[in-house]
Amino acid sequence: LFEAQVGRTPDAVAVICGDARVSYGELNARANRLARVLIGHGVGPEQLVGLALPRSVDMVVAVLAVLKAGGAYLPIDPDYPGERIAFMLQDAEPVCVLTTGGVASGLPVWDAGRVLCVDDPAVMAAAGSMAEVDLTDQDRSGALLLTGLAYVIYTSGSTGRPKGVSVTHTGLASMAAMHADRFGVGPDSRVLQFASPSFDASVWELMMALVSGAGLVVPDAGSRVDVAGRLASLVQEHSVTHALLVPSVLAGVDPSDMPSLRVLVVGGEACAPDVVARWSAGRRMFNAYGPTESTVCVSVSDVLVGGVVPPIGRPVWNTRVYVLDAGLRLVAPGVVGELYVGGAGLARGYLNRAGLTAGRFVADPFGPAGGRLYRTGDLVRWGADGQLEFVGRADDQVKLRGFRIETGEIETVLAEQPGVAQAAVVVREDRPGDKRLVGYVVPDTDAAAGGVDTASVRESLRGRLPEYMVPSVVVVLDSLPLTVNGKLDRAALPVPDLSGMTSGRGPRTAREEVLCGLFA
């Protein structure tokens, strides 16, 4: 698909990074030369190449080069902790790792003979001596197949051990066609490359731009985008027209600072109605949904208008979705069930984790023989308009004092309080045996000066929620902490100050002391 676009618009700008402008023809030639270098190092079908590169033109070249060589790429975010990077390298065992000299010095100890620095003069000279024409199967160690591995992206595991999701080429064409059809991406478009390379949204961004003739705008210096300021200036500076962003990053940005943005897609986490109200005016806004275990995107909403709770939409092309009960039976529209996904974009499974794969990728009782479904763990229902509505996570339920609680429900009510722009709720146990619900809120621009009256917020929640669902304390933050991927970092939420709270008096008599001891 990319090479076909090169043939149509070889002189058009493909990548914009700082002052650099790289045409489609030049990008293709550089990728072809590097692909031949990789083949010389043993890269071929079903073999992984680690990409420990910052956001840059080199990162885009490297992705294309690995695919042209027939291999699959493993993105390794240089900002990740060394322990996590070490685990990924040991678990995936890539043929080699492409990086830069500056990043290589910070990588955990690994086989030095399999590290290729793209800025190493020897590597650059080797690439410069290679032919720049497109490769064929005669150049590779094996034939390219749609069923072959395209990339592996590691996600957090419930056991604390990351798991690598193996995705093939079969769903990429459908995704590219959907981009052009739904979002109107074309040669006059500029697509923002915002996501971390280790987040599958980066695949979406690359595909959206490079198979449609658009320009991909990559932040320079390889640094994470400063949400409050750099993002808006980057969009303005390069007249970005299309962007995929996590709702959390939009809270600190004024929509009027991005007049060029024609299409905004939000995804990665639930989007609050006030965010939709602010950002849907003057542009086409969509809500996209998709676990890493399917090729980036499973469903996309209709165009969002006004302060609505955005649905996660309808399935994208060549994708099947089912809302099922615990017995894998279809539930009626309006009834909550678990979302199962099938179709061309379904991942192969988890790298080197056959048991985990078997538990999450199950036989499809509705499709052709041998078909599979991925069990997402997300609770959804079909709305009256035929779109899927996200309800929460099947595994996000917490049990507190005998009650099962869905924290997402509390977050929704918190976010609806006057003066609150964002909200998060977690169960904390900062003292052994003392579990309590804690709410975190970020004031909106109107309330920022006067702050949020947390006592009033808790009192209002008492009128909307059962007492056991009302947070013990509400903490006001300037902003919610985010992970490298721009999602809420729950582990980084601060410990609340409980010094002013009382939870009863101490025992006054010997009998009360005995009772307290028995209860404890």
Side-chain angles (χ1 to χ4, degrees), residues 355-513:
L356 185 60
T357 299
R360 301 297 295 186
F361 293 83
V362 301
D364 182 358
F366 311 103
R372 299 179 307 146
L373 296 176
Y374 170 66
R375 180 183 181 184
T376 66
D378 289 324
L379 300 177
V380 301
R381 61 182 165 227
W382 288 109
D385 60 354
Q387 297 192 79
L388 286 169
E389 299 172 354
F390 180 79
V391 177
R393 283 287 300 172
D395 53 7
D396 265 0
Q397 284 188 344
V398 295
K399 194 169 185 179
L400 188 64
R401 295 187 290 277
F403 295 102
R404 291 201 174 275
I405 299 171
E406 185 71 58
T407 57
E409 182 180 355
I410 308 173
E411 290 174 348
T412 300
V413 178
L414 258 181
E416 293 173 353
Q417 301 305 305
V420 175
Q422 294 176 280
V425 175
V426 297
V427 174
R428 300 195 67 102
E429 190 175 1
D430 299 308
R431 293 180 297 193
D434 182 19
K435 285 187 177 181
R436 63 178 69 234
L437 281 171
V438 178
Y440 297 87
V441 297
V442 175
D444 60 24
T445 52
D446 296 331
V452 175
D453 186 343
T454 57
S456 297
V457 168
R458 291 185 69 244
E459 190 60 36
S460 177
L461 261 57
R462 285 193 175 94
R464 300 274 303 275
L465 299 170
E467 182 64 30
Y468 66 83
M469 293 180 68
V470 177
S472 299
V473 61
V474 175
V475 180
V476 180
L477 302 176
D478 293 334
S479 61
L480 294 177
L482 304 178
T483 66
V484 179
N485 295 336
K487 293 186 178 183
L488 176 66
D489 187 354
R490 295 184 182 273
L493 291 168
V495 177
D497 180 10
L498 304 178
S499 58
M501 298 182 63
T502 59
S503 57
R505 60 174 174 81
R508 293 174 179 166
T509 66
R511 178 176 293 178
E512 288 182 353
E513 288 180 359

Side-chain angles (χ1 to χ4, degrees), residues 20-88:
R21 301 289 187 276
V22 181
S23 70
Y24 272 85
E26 181 185 352
L27 182 64
N28 190 49
R30 288 177 59 177
N32 286 334
R33 289 194 289 264
L34 182 57
R36 288 183 161 85
V37 172
L38 293 174
I39 291 172
H41 282 78
V43 175
E46 299 300 319
Q47 294 175 323
L48 285 170
V49 176
L51 302 184
L53 294 163
R55 289 185 184 91
S56 59
V57 175
D58 285 337
M59 180 67 184
V60 180
V61 171
V63 169
L64 293 170
V66 172
L67 298 178
K68 283 171 172 286
Y73 71 94
L74 168 68
I76 301 169
D77 195 317
D79 289 335
Y80 274 176
E83 183 178 344
R84 185 180 181 92
I85 294 176
F87 173 83
M88 292 166 62

Side-chain angles (χ1 to χ4, degrees), residues 116-187:
L116 298 178
C117 294
V118 294
D119 53 358
D120 184 329
V123 175
M124 295 171 67
S129 65
M130 298 292 179
E132 62 181 35
V133 296
D134 291 335
L135 289 81
T136 67
D137 282 346
Q138 283 68 44
D139 299 308
R140 305 180 184 100
S141 59
L144 290 187
L145 302 172
L146 280 175
T147 55
L149 198 59
Y151 61 85
V152 171
I153 287 181
Y154 276 78
T155 64
S156 297
S158 57
T159 62
R161 177 188 174 194
K163 54 187 186 293
V165 182
S166 302
V167 180
T168 68
H169 289 265
T170 53
L172 293 175
S174 295
M175 185 171 68
M178 183 269 293
H179 286 156
D181 178 70
R182 298 298 301 277
F183 307 138
V185 188

